[in-house]
Amino acid sequence: MKKVVKFGGSSLASAEQFMKVGKIIQADEARRYVVPSAPGKRNSADTKVTDMLYATYALAKDGKDFSKDMAFIKARYQEIINGLKLDLSLEKEFDEIAVNFKKKAGENYAASRGEYLNGIIMANYLGYEFIDAATVIFFDEDGNFMAEKTNDVLSEKLKKIEKAVIPGFYGALPDGTVKTFSRGGSDVTGSIVARAAKVDVYENWTDVSGFMVCDPRIVDDPQAIDIITYKELRELSYMGASVLHEDAIFPVRKEGIPINIKNTNAPEDSGTWIVENTCQKSKYVITGIAGKKGFCAVGIDKDMMNSEIGFCRKALQVFEDYNISIEHMPSGIDTMTVFVHQSEFEQKEQEVLAGLHKELQPDMIELESDLALIAVVGRGMKATRGTAGRIFSALAHANINVKMIDQGSSELNIIIGVKNEDFEAAIKAIYAIFVEVQL
Ligand code: ASP
């Protein structure tokens, strides 16, 4: 049995947290490859080291004195080193970083040092080998992640190393310059390492015991999700779930490796399992509910639209020409509605409308803004009758007007459009009918 364990910033924010992590790793021989984030917040008023690095680099870039800010960052690491009683000095590394900041080595380099330094501490603490991610994770000239090259090099390297620490969040461009993933990208590194090492499980340790059925800011103390498929998670994450970076599922999914989200502060909790497939039923008919506010519906009407070949293509081309992504597209016989992100659409609204008129000669175009989309997701829906009925009667009882309904033939999710102001009440009502009143 082999595992990759990735620890998020809050799991490594202080020496105390490092000790919890050390215990977790030592408790299981299989935890052979460790991917750390940079130290995160120790409390809600604290600042993440990554943010400190961005701010410090901004001073360096402007040619200002950044020594005080760098000293604060150094102090954060020194506190961890002292707390762990390590015989380790990062003096040389900090001197080098200061030189590179003066040379304006770039934001990516600056931000990546958070993980780099934490990786050195972690390797020293555990007695594991340190592998600089810049030597094994590759991006092309355009900054695209090179999955296959990385996998070839990294898997060869890991074959020869029993136990290693590989810092998260960054890799290198062809000329050796450091490049980071987007924020939260250590999750992606963990997944890449898990694929390359062909492990049995990718454990992703954070400060919550996995995914909740819905956002705890909307429903108090919602139920946890024990097991969720990659497909279900895609439907939910793209609507705003924040526990795991969206791109983290792709490398492990290729190899059929499950992800287990675990809580560093409650390691005995089983957390959430993310799997390719399962015959285990979810506790409730639905697995999760997620959504987002701020959409706009562009309704296009034209008599005989259904028999006009190429109508949809022409309509979509206009949105593509203006670089606007489309969220959903429910249609009727003589109507189609295109849901777009309001913030993207607003600035280009008049050009898009003119383009649609020119290409389609519609009878009418109607706009409705301030809409929210809610995805109700669950593999259990396929086998259950009445799911949609329950959702809509719950919404009707809560006095919520449903503006749009979209269900794909996969029967994995139902998308509902409501007014922004009904968003929270709609999620509460759907949660209540499936989870609280388990009929
Ligand atoms: N430290 C980086 C961030 O704050 C990456 C990560 O934590 O995954 O976004």
Side-chain angles (χ1 to χ4, degrees):
M1 182 85 148
K2 259 193 289 186
K3 291 179 181 175
V4 162
V5 283
K6 179 260 166 180
F7 291 90
S10 58
S11 301
L12 300 169
S14 62
E16 204 189 338
Q17 288 298 88
F18 255 81
M19 286 180 207
K20 287 187 195 167
V21 166
K23 268 201 197 122
I24 289 167
I25 294 171
Q26 275 143 20
D28 185 349
E29 268 292 307
R31 294 180 174 134
R32 288 174 37 187
Y33 301 113
V34 182
V35 175
S37 281
K41 294 183 181 193
R42 291 160 294 188
N43 52 60
S44 56
D46 204 8
T47 310
K48 287 178 168 195
V49 164
T50 308
D51 291 316
M52 295 167 86
L53 284 161
Y54 279 123
T56 307
Y57 185 72
L59 295 174
K61 203 171 145 198
D62 289 348
K64 295 190 183 135
D65 175 32
F66 60 84
S67 53
K68 248 203 218 134
D69 299 70
M70 193 61 98
F72 282 127
I73 298 174
K74 204 168 166 186
R76 291 256 350 228
Y77 286 103
Q78 199 55 49
E79 200 184 290
I80 296 173
I81 292 173
N82 295 347
L84 297 174
K85 302 192 172 60
L86 298 178
D87 182 18
L88 173 70
S89 160
L90 294 178
E91 209 58 51
K92 196 172 88 308
E93 281 77 11
F94 270 100
D95 288 347
E96 191 183 316
I97 292 169
V99 169
N100 288 331
F101 269 41
K102 280 189 191 127
K103 282 193 204 149
K104 312 208 169 144
E107 266 98 14
N108 280 242
Y109 167 80
S112 74
R113 296 306 86 185
E115 272 68 12
Y116 174 77
L117 295 167
N118 230 18
I120 294 176
I121 297 181
M122 179 66 92
N124 186 289
Y125 181 49
L126 297 172
Y128 282 21
E129 189 162 326
F130 174 78
I131 302 176
D132 184 353
T135 63
V136 287
I137 293 189
F138 305 106
F139 294 88
D140 66 17
E141 296 81 16
D142 301 323
N144 301 310
F145 169 59
M146 296 170 80
E148 296 317 312
K149 179 177 175 192
T150 298
N151 196 50
D152 292 347
V153 173
L154 188 56
S155 54
E156 260 322 294
K157 177 129 199 165
L158 295 180
K159 265 186 209 155
K160 294 173 230 130
I161 302 175
E162 184 69 15
K163 293 176 164 182
V165 174
I166 305 116
F169 194 34
Y170 71 94
L173 293 166
D175 67 358
T177 316
V178 167
K179 157 104 183 100
T180 59
F181 292 104
S182 57
R183 295 298 304 261
S186 299
D187 287 340
V188 184
T189 309
S191 184
I192 292 166
V193 176
R195 177 184 173 205
K198 293 199 171 34
V199 296
D200 302 276
V201 185
Y202 167 24
E203 286 181 350
N204 187 296
W205 291 80
T206 177
D207 51 8
V208 288
S209 296
F211 289 97
M212 307 286 143
V213 172
C214 70
D215 190 337
R217 286 167 302 186
I218 298 175
V219 170
D220 281 343
D221 207 12
Q223 291 286 320
I225 300 175
D226 297 335
I227 183 159
I228 184 169
T229 66
Y230 286 125
K231 266 195 189 148
E232 289 176 302
L233 185 63
R234 281 292 299 149
E235 297 294 342
L236 290 169
S237 71
Y238 122 102
M239 300 293 279
S242 62
V243 178
L244 187 73
H245 192 294
E246 263 196 280
D247 296 339
I249 64 175
F250 299 112
V252 278
R253 192 177 176 177
K254 272 209 172 114
E255 294 289 325
I257 300 167
I259 305 175
N260 189 192
I261 308 283
K262 299 272 290 173
N263 188 347
T264 301
N265 304 318
E268 59 296 337
D269 287 358
S270 57
T272 300
W273 282 89
I274 310 166
V275 299
E276 178 65 38
N277 232 320
T278 175
C279 51
Q280 283 181 46
K281 300 212 169 58
S282 45
K283 257 195 259 164
Y284 318 99
V285 174
I286 59 161
T287 305
I289 314 162
K292 215 170 173 179
K293 290 181 183 177
F295 291 95
C296 186
V298 183
I300 309 166
D301 277 31
K302 187 175 185 184
D303 282 345
M304 305 301 288
M305 177 192 289
N306 63 327
S307 54
E308 188 177 326
I309 291 169
F311 189 91
C312 289
R313 182 186 49 75
K314 282 187 254 169
L316 297 185
Q317 186 65 51
V318 174
F319 288 93
E320 185 178 339
D321 290 346
Y322 288 98
N323 209 14
I324 293 174
S325 59
I326 288 168
E327 208 66 10
H328 284 287
M329 215 177 51
S331 64
I333 202 91
D334 284 336
T335 62
M336 71 184 275
T337 308
V338 181
F339 276 79
V340 290
H341 290 264
Q342 199 162 328
S343 55
E344 256 180 39
F345 179 70
E346 258 167 3
Q347 309 141 20
K348 302 173 187 161
E349 175 193 84
Q350 293 310 315
E351 288 106 304
V352 175
L353 292 185
L356 291 172
H357 275 285
K358 187 166 147 248
E359 292 299 326
L360 307 170
Q361 291 88 44
D363 297 332
M364 191 169 63
I365 298 183
E366 266 183 313
L367 295 182
E368 181 159 10
S369 57
D370 302 319
L371 296 174
L373 292 174
I374 297 169
V376 185
V377 177
R379 57 189 184 279
M381 284 183 189
K382 208 167 185 156
T384 322
R385 265 167 287 168
T387 311
R390 285 170 75 187
I391 295 174
F392 298 116
S393 70
L395 294 175
H397 278 110
N399 241 335
I400 292 164
N401 184 23
V402 175
K403 313 284 300 179
M404 188 276 284
I405 305 165
D406 197 355
Q407 182 185 11
S409 55
S410 65
E411 288 184 72
L412 188 68
N413 63 350
I414 297 176
I415 312 281
I416 300 146
V418 297
K419 285 295 261 176
N420 271 351
E421 67 241 34
D422 288 334
F423 178 68
E424 284 84 6
I427 290 186
K428 278 188 186 137
I430 299 168
Y431 181 85
I433 198 77
F434 286 102
V435 180
E436 283 160 13
V437 191
Q438 273 188 68
L439 293 174

